[in-house]
Amino acid sequence: RFQACVYFASVFQAMSCGIHYLASVFMDVTPKFVCGISGNMSSVLFYNSSESSIEDIWTLWTSTENYIVVQLENGEIWELNQCSRSKREFSLNLAYEYKGNKSIYSCSDGFLYDDTKWKSTVVTQWDLVCDREWLAKLIQPTFMLGVLIGAVIFGDIADRLGRQRVIWFTSAGQFVFGIAVAFTFDYYSFVIVRFLLAMVSSGYLVVAFVYVTEFVGIKARTWASMHVHAFFAVGIMIVALVGFLVRTWWVYQIFLSVATLPFVLCCWMLPETPFWLLSEEKYEDAQKVINIMARWNKVSTPCKVSELYSVQQDDLVSGRTGDNDTSSTKKHNILDLFCNWRIATRTITVWLIWFTGSLGYYVFSLSSVSLGGNEYLNLFLIGAVELPCYIIACIGMDRLGRRNTLIPFLILSALICVLIMFIPQDFNTLIILANMAGKFSIGVAFGLIYLYTAELYPTIVRSLAVGSGSMMCRVGSVVAPFCVYLRSVWIFMPLLLVGIMALLSGILTIMLPETLGKPLTNTLVEATEMGRNKKSCSGKTHPAHSGAAVEKVEMFGQETVSTEK
């Protein structure tokens, strides 16, 4: 009962991460537009169609190469293009074609936008078109840069200060910065606040995975961690729903930010994880959390930390004397992920999987725009298609193992990339189905790697490992749009790159150890031994860090308490 309440409270906020990651899909839409003009229009002409207002012309607009002819009440006739306007000299007749003299002017009077779909977007708010179009294209990359930096910073902070404090700060930050985005006064303040929002959103998602992993025991760990992704996917579907209902960008942003307000109001009630408290030798605090778990789960005889870990005063004194207190005071950093060749090889492989998963996920997602139809429904389905993906991943991880599930789906995604290259371009339906199958397969690998990374590394660097992996993931998401641009070189170039990366990742994954059914490790020594290497990374193992004791704490408060490793 206790673990369930903590879990659902934590993953509820993961919806907010999905919301903010995809919010820009509708927020920075560039609608149809032409150069603005001062004065009242009396007639508007587009080829053979004549209307009294420009709003009636937008449905006929099919190409950015077209122009609109307007006649003002003072008799002036103008040709309005997207990034320039021309005044016809000595013309009295309103006709679409004109061979006479024209005076070309810049768009000094702003722009006219089609507001049939969106009443207001970031692009229309600050005229991010023509020579300012590059600013609109920087909105998502700068957000992903914030995600990248936040993953590393908050992952490291969570290992140093605890998961609880980071959960509090990042969840509150998502709400505050999310609302602040709607009230930014110019483009630059908008980008800066969105950058900060990206940092806290990424930080929460990274630490939330570690948090729920350390609270949930072996039996439910797979389903619990994987379905954090499911809540993220629900956030994507919420974006589609709110985007369909609200067509003004700042109101849209407020609605999205308020969606997870209930968690912000109660997140202060979440406790610190016993794993982190034990790794910091805060045994009394860990015992308090365990006692609370016992009351919630109606366990009459709660376990004692001193009994589980055989913590005795003379052991503590002798351990600290022997190691000069090194193991208890050592501050860990990213270099600990390369402490010996086995851990280093593991880290490089894991980073490659993170990068490939993100790259493939976004390349397949960007390709899905060829589905056509209702854009809001398409986004909703893109989020919904991830739900069965994670169910399949959970079943595979529980039945076959983490590694044995990851390898075939990585290789399968590579084969699908090759298959798409051989499908004739006329078979649109088959191509779409193949792309969705590719996204499904890479999605399984992408979702699995979060849990697998958390299980491959010990408590003292677990958040750092997941955070650095998430950093590589964000590098992949930043590279993905540029990868798609390579379609201009060769239409199948993006698929070829994803296929090569997926195949390479699948082969290297063979060298990783299986973690199914194994207790979480607490020290780098134990993590190295999981790879059958007895070489020490950081000295002796404290008695309080035995694998058997870790397994006992993991299973505490659930159906059984293990007495053997």
Side-chain angles (χ1 to χ4, degrees), residues 180-197:
V181 166
F183 295 96
T184 48
F185 52 87
D186 62 7
Y187 169 81
Y188 298 102
S189 62
F190 171 82
V191 170
I192 292 173
V193 176
R194 282 259 302 170
F195 181 85
L196 297 175
L197 174 61

Side-chain angles (χ1 to χ4, degrees), residues 136-151:
K137 292 183 177 180
L138 282 179
I139 290 175
Q140 191 62 16
T142 53
F143 183 88
M144 298 310 298
L145 180 62
V147 169
L148 186 153
I149 296 174

Side-chain angles (χ1 to χ4, degrees), residues 258-319:
V258 171
T260 53
L261 178 60
F263 178 81
V264 178
L265 299 177
C266 67
C267 66
W268 60 272
M269 299 173 62
L270 295 177
E272 184 57 79
T273 68
F275 266 96
W276 185 82
L277 293 172
L278 292 169
S279 69
E280 296 292 313
E281 297 187 358
K282 297 182 178 181
Y283 301 111
E284 292 184 2
D285 294 335
Q287 186 65 61
K288 291 178 182 178
V289 175
I290 291 176
N291 291 339
I292 295 174
M293 294 168 67
R295 288 196 299 269
W296 275 66
N297 295 337
K298 297 182 179 180
V299 176
S300 57
T301 308
C303 68
K304 302 295 182 182
V305 171
S306 58
E307 295 176 0
L308 287 174
Y309 278 72
S310 301
V311 178
Q312 298 178 357
Q313 190 63 30
D314 55 345
D315 290 334
L316 289 173
V317 174
S318 61

Side-chain angles (χ1 to χ4, degrees), residues 42 59 91 141 184 192 222 270 289 303 373 404 427 432 450 511:
S42 59
T59 55
S91 176
T184 48
I192 292 173
T222 301
L270 295 177
V289 175
C303 68
N404 296 335
F427 290 65
I432 292 172
Y450 281 84
M511 298 187 298

